[in-house]
Amino acid sequence: MEKGRRSSTVHVLALPYPTQGHLNPMVQFCWRLVSKRLKATLAITTFVNNTMQPKSGLVQLDTISDGYDEGGFKQAGDTQAYLSRFEVVGSKTLAELIKRHGIAGQPVDCVIYDSFLPWALDVAKQHGIAGASFFTQPCAVNYIYHQAHYGLLTLPVPSLPISIPGLPLLELEDMPSFIYVHGSYPAYFEMVLSQFSNVEKADYVVVNTFYKLEEKVVDAMSKVSPMLTIGPTIPSFYLDKRVQHDKDYGLNLFKLDPSVCLEWLSNKPKRSVVYVSFGSLSNISPEQTEELARGLKGSNLYFLWVVRDSEEAKLPEHFVEETSDKGLVVGWSPQLEVLASEAVGCFFSHCGWNSTIEALSLGVPMVVMPQWTDQTTNAKFVQDVWKVGIRVKMDEKGVVGRKEVENCIREVMEGEKGKEMMENCIKWKVLAREAVCEGGTSDKDIDEFVSKLTKSLC
């Protein structure tokens, strides 16, 4: 590898887990590294590449295979089958990609891999390359999984509340869903714990958060696993504006026309609109969809609701027509631009980490309805730690009723608690920007990553 190495530019190869929520943060980290004069190549799967047909910019694009080039995850039909084949085929094609770049005179100096793909570190080490584990989810969630992986957290949980260093006391429903409902989604549970299977061999551990947002848990986890906080990983345009041309994520699994949403928002009063979106993977039941619809209608507030094409049939009959004077239902939206709009006063969200940190960074209070994985823990922090939102309560059937939907929206938009949330939102918005500005905690950690990587190659 040394023969083809160019001393002038460090080359990092970034490997995200191939879903929208993992692609976006990795892309943004690459943008930051390019702004620090590194060369970055983003390795996406062949299926994602064919689906998105992305354009190459400052971040170079290349492909590996997950073994399902025609249909991706859906082609596998089973989580375990997908993950197993991805490891086998992904390892092989990642190795081939590393070799190809070396032959081309652009040798890879470091593989930055999504922590969901720990096998990528093994491939990097086999080629004498540094490895950086990239944790997409918040530090609090990572630390819970860390405790479970090393047997420091007994499962199923024997007693409540749950005490973990750096975290507030947690009830069972505050834990990630794989722990909250012990034994659920075993393949995914194995995957989130396997993030720590070889992490001690990684040269770097980077986390998609910023220090002041999770100060206590970052300090606690750093004692057992030193890490760098490099977030928020959202386009620079919405934060420090120091990275040129970085205005959007650039990779979208869904086709969208941003003008539809933005034009509709343009003539709405300040903080008058409830924005509703549950991300790229959530699957809301027909009953829950109807309760949401009735709650939105009952609030009599403006709303912009993202309902994916696959979920559209769950909407109550004639709902779109009946609420056309107040609402807009779309298949997808330019979320960052929507959240940045002065017209938006509340984000009704599933509390996925990307959506949560976007809302925090853009100063938008939330009503959160977590579904699974990290979302339940994120919701605990949104309501009780950062105090920027309300978590809805479910009935005995596990459904959030229309009155609960309406009341929570009204509390955020019109209530006294809503005013306090807005003040807290402004605080976190300022701190998020400070983190990535020159000399901020995340900026310093990114500089440290760049500096160490550069020195190790001298």
Side-chain angles (χ1 to χ4, degrees):
M1 296 296 293
E2 292 294 325
K3 184 178 180 181
R5 189 177 303 281
R6 296 179 304 174
S7 59
S8 59
T9 306
V10 174
H11 183 194
V12 297
L13 179 66
L15 179 64
Y17 186 78
T19 60
Q20 192 75 63
H22 287 250
L23 285 161
N24 289 349
M26 190 71 86
V27 169
Q28 285 307 307
F29 187 42
C30 285
W31 273 92
R32 288 281 171 185
L33 295 177
V34 169
S35 75
K36 305 285 187 180
R37 301 186 184 282
L38 267 62
K39 174 182 174 60
T41 299
L42 186 75
I44 54 179
T45 64
T46 301
F47 172 72
V48 167
N49 184 62
N50 293 342
T51 303
M52 292 182 169
Q53 297 181 337
K55 296 178 181 179
S56 180
L58 294 177
V59 177
Q60 183 177 318
L61 295 173
D62 217 320
T63 59
I64 67 165
S65 176
D66 58 5
Y68 297 99
D69 295 346
E70 302 302 319
F73 180 82
K74 289 183 179 179
Q75 186 182 348
D78 173 75
T79 304
Q80 188 58 59
Y82 179 76
L83 295 173
S84 297
R85 186 160 175 78
F86 192 5
E87 179 172 353
V88 173
V89 180
S91 295
K92 180 176 180 291
T93 53
L94 176 60
E96 291 169 352
L97 181 58
I98 291 170
K99 291 176 183 176
R100 193 162 68 244
H101 278 283
I103 293 169
Q106 298 179 335
V108 175
D109 302 308
C110 178
V111 174
I112 305 170
Y113 63 95
D114 192 297
S115 59
F116 281 8
L117 309 173
W119 47 262
L121 178 60
D122 298 331
V123 176
K125 292 302 180 182
Q126 288 164 12
H127 289 81
I129 296 171
S133 184
F134 184 98
F135 284 81
T136 302
Q137 296 178 332
C139 189
V141 172
N142 300 330
Y143 199 31
I144 292 171
Y145 291 146
H146 175 278
Q147 298 279 296
H149 174 78
Y150 287 104
L152 301 172
L153 175 64
T154 303
L155 300 178
V157 175
S159 62
L160 296 170
I162 302 156
S163 177
I164 296 175
L167 275 69
L169 292 176
L170 302 171
E171 297 299 327
L172 197 56
E173 61 269 22
D174 301 326
M175 301 294 278
S177 66
F178 309 130
I179 294 174
Y180 174 21
V181 185
H182 186 61
S184 62
Y185 301 97
Y188 282 124
F189 185 48
E190 181 183 343
M191 178 179 72
V192 296
L193 294 193
S194 73
Q195 296 176 99
F196 298 98
S197 61
N198 60 358
V199 72
E200 73 282 353
K201 297 177 183 177
D203 299 275
Y204 312 93
V205 175
V206 297
V207 185
N208 179 23
T209 190
F210 59 98
Y211 179 70
K212 289 185 179 178
L213 185 65
E214 297 190 86
E215 184 173 354
K216 291 181 180 179
V217 67
V218 170
D219 286 344
M221 190 171 176
S222 291
K223 293 175 182 177
V224 295
S225 181
M227 67 184 71
L228 302 170
T229 56
I230 50 81
T233 53
I234 71 171
S236 175
F237 177 80
Y238 297 95
L239 293 168
D240 58 326
K241 296 181 171 58
R242 291 195 300 148
V243 183
Q244 290 187 352
H245 312 299
D246 184 22
K247 293 187 176 183
D248 56 45
Y249 291 115
L251 295 172
N252 284 294
L253 289 170
F254 300 88
K255 295 179 181 178
L256 56 91
D257 178 2
S259 65
V260 175
C261 297
L262 301 180
E263 287 177 9
W264 185 84
L265 286 169
S266 66
N267 61 10
K268 300 298 182 289
K270 188 175 181 179
R271 298 198 66 238
S272 66
V273 176
V274 180
Y275 172 57
V276 188
S277 179
F278 298 103
S280 59
L281 297 175
S282 293
N283 182 13
I284 309 298
S285 70
E287 182 181 2
Q288 184 63 83
T289 302
E290 175 157 7
E291 291 303 308
L292 280 168
R294 300 308 178 199
L296 285 168
K297 184 178 180 181
S299 75
N300 200 35
L301 294 166
Y302 291 114
F303 66 87
L304 170 58
W305 188 1
V306 179
V307 181
R308 300 195 312 274
D309 293 343
S310 59
E311 303 284 290
E312 194 174 355
K314 298 176 184 178
L315 288 170
E317 192 174 2
H318 306 306
F319 172 76
V320 174
E321 295 86 352
E322 290 171 359
T323 58
S324 59
D325 60 328
K326 286 288 186 178
L328 176 66
V329 178
V330 295
W332 201 245
S333 77
Q335 183 158 291
L336 281 168
E337 291 175 272
V338 169
L339 290 174
S341 169
E342 287 192 345
V344 174
C346 172
F347 183 14
F348 201 121
S349 169
H350 65 312
C351 218
W353 185 234
N354 281 346
S355 291
T356 301
I357 206 165
E358 286 170 2
L360 284 162
S361 300
L362 294 170
V364 182
M366 290 172 268
V367 175
V368 293
M369 190 175 79
Q371 303 298 299
W372 73 317
T373 186
D374 63 324
Q375 297 162 18
T376 40
T377 306
N378 298 344
K380 167 67 175 178
F381 276 72
V382 163
Q383 178 174 274
D384 297 333
V385 179
W386 303 318
K387 301 182 186 301
V388 292
I390 297 176
R391 179 177 181 172
V392 295
K393 294 181 175 64
M394 297 183 294
D395 62 21
E396 62 280 357
K397 296 179 182 178
V399 175
V400 180
R402 60 191 70 183
K403 264 303 179 185
E404 175 72 1
V405 170
E406 180 183 337
N407 291 341
C408 287
I409 290 172
R410 287 191 177 281
E411 185 62 59
V412 172
M413 295 288 279
E414 303 169 348
E416 286 302 312
K417 285 185 179 178
K419 294 177 184 176
E420 295 175 15
M421 291 173 201
M422 196 63 230
E423 291 176 2
N424 288 327
C425 282
I426 293 170
K427 177 187 78 172
W428 292 117
K429 179 179 180 179
V430 170
L431 291 173
R433 188 171 297 168
E434 282 182 1
V436 295
C437 281
E438 186 172 0
T441 53
S442 293
D443 186 58
K444 284 181 178 178
D445 278 2
I446 295 171
D447 281 343
E448 181 181 340
F449 175 76
V450 172
S451 176
K452 285 184 176 180
L453 192 55
T454 303
K455 286 179 181 177
S456 70
L457 300 171
C458 291

